[in-house]
Amino acid sequence: MSFGNQSIRFEPNLGAGISPTAQSVRPIGPFLGSAGGAVNQHSMTGEGPKRQVAGGCHSALQEVKVCKGDPVVGETGMRRNDIMNQLNQLILYVSKTTPFRSHLDRHLIRAAMVFTFFAFSIQKWSQYTAEMLVPLISHSPVVFWLLPAFGVRGAGYFLGTTETIFGSLIFLGYWSPRLGILGALGSIATFIGTTSIIPFLPDGWAREAGGFPIMTLPLGFLMKDVLFLVASFYLLKQDLTRAAEIIRS
């Protein structure tokens, strides 16, 4: 192509994996003279003309790349840092408050366990609850012997009495860690007995809902005891630590 006494030759550049449609513009002669220098300064090989910016550059034809010095990136980073700093300050402040510097967690868990033992032990004294427990007791590898040994009502009395004793010992653990240890051990034994029923419970998964993982009510009732078993171990650890401190002092 020519413009007067000036000409431009288009040469395909197939290097670096560029499509043949991407071509280089090379002017022959001083096409723009001293005014500029240069259509040949702008390669159209796929990178396009480059604009210098702080910290890097953008490509005019390629996907826009955000450079390090981009003020938008800097502002976003500063905003994120401010949020993280505020969150850290909040965490430090809350961690210094009384509920989180005291033994409130231990007291709350102990109170929850005492309430649970007393609430469920009362149920065991009634004929109605004792009869409801028969399918669970009969499939337990730990307490199955209660039914042939004491009968339905006697099994309810036995469970109600032991749960009342363990709940009382855990309650006394507020003042005596040794009694708390006994209560925690009894609690662990109780919930090992109840959770051991889970694998042996027939029709534990609801067939009407497609089976696993949808549980029937009896299985869901037993699943909660996994949490109580863990809480019992937590109380045992706490009371053992307290008793050891008393011994060392």
Side-chain angles (χ1 to χ4, degrees):
M1 183 182 296
S2 62
F3 297 87
N5 62 345
Q6 311 292 333
S7 64
I8 299 178
R9 181 171 66 251
F10 294 86
E11 297 178 359
N13 184 353
L14 302 181
I18 305 301
S19 171
T21 57
Q23 299 178 348
S24 300
V25 181
R26 297 183 180 178
I28 301 177
F31 179 66
L32 296 180
S34 59
V39 174
N40 65 332
Q41 298 298 320
H42 302 291
S43 172
M44 298 180 65
T45 61
E47 296 181 357
K50 297 181 178 179
R51 294 177 288 119
Q52 296 296 324
V53 297
C57 61
H58 291 282
S59 173
L61 297 181
Q62 289 181 328
E63 182 181 352
V64 176
K65 297 180 179 178
V66 181
C67 301
K68 294 181 179 179
D70 195 310
V72 176
V73 175
E75 182 179 352
T76 303
M78 292 177 61
R79 188 180 301 114
R80 184 163 52 247
N81 290 336
D82 289 341
I83 294 174
M84 290 303 299
N85 289 335
Q86 293 176 2
L87 179 60
N88 291 338
Q89 292 298 322
L90 178 62
I91 292 173
L92 292 174
Y93 173 78
V94 173
S95 67
K96 296 177 181 178
T97 58
T98 301
F100 297 96
R101 292 177 63 89
S102 62
H103 299 293
L104 180 62
D105 55 338
R106 183 179 70 200
H107 300 324
L108 289 176
I109 292 177
R110 188 179 301 277
M113 294 297 292
V114 170
F115 172 80
T116 300
F117 270 113
F118 286 159
F120 279 91
S121 65
I122 293 173
Q123 312 305 314
K124 305 296 192 304
W125 293 92
S126 69
Q127 180 71 25
Y128 172 78
T129 304
E131 292 178 354
M132 289 183 62
L133 292 176
V134 169
L136 302 180
I137 297 174
S138 60
H139 290 94
S140 171
V142 178
V143 295
F144 66 92
W145 52 271
L146 289 177
L147 291 176
F150 303 109
V152 175
R153 195 65 185 270
Y157 289 153
F158 178 87
L159 294 175
T161 301
T162 55
E163 290 178 4
T164 301
I165 293 173
F166 297 151
S168 299
L169 290 172
I170 292 174
F171 177 72
L172 294 174
Y174 275 113
W175 301 277
S176 173
R178 290 181 174 85
L179 294 178
I181 291 172
L182 294 177
L185 289 173
S187 180
I188 290 173
T190 298
F191 293 115
I192 287 178
T194 55
T195 55
S196 66
I197 304 173
I198 294 174
F200 303 97
L201 188 67
D203 300 326
W205 308 108
R207 295 178 182 178
E208 299 81 358
F212 179 86
I214 307 303
M215 297 179 289
T216 59
L217 185 58
L219 182 59
F221 174 78
L222 293 174
M223 281 293 186
K224 74 180 188 322
D225 291 348
V226 176
L227 177 60
F228 289 134
L229 179 60
V230 175
S232 302
F233 181 80
Y234 173 82
L235 289 179
L236 176 61
K237 175 186 174 183
Q238 294 295 321
D239 289 335
L240 280 172
T241 303
R242 294 167 58 207
E245 291 176 353
I246 294 173
I247 294 171
R248 286 192 295 263
S249 62

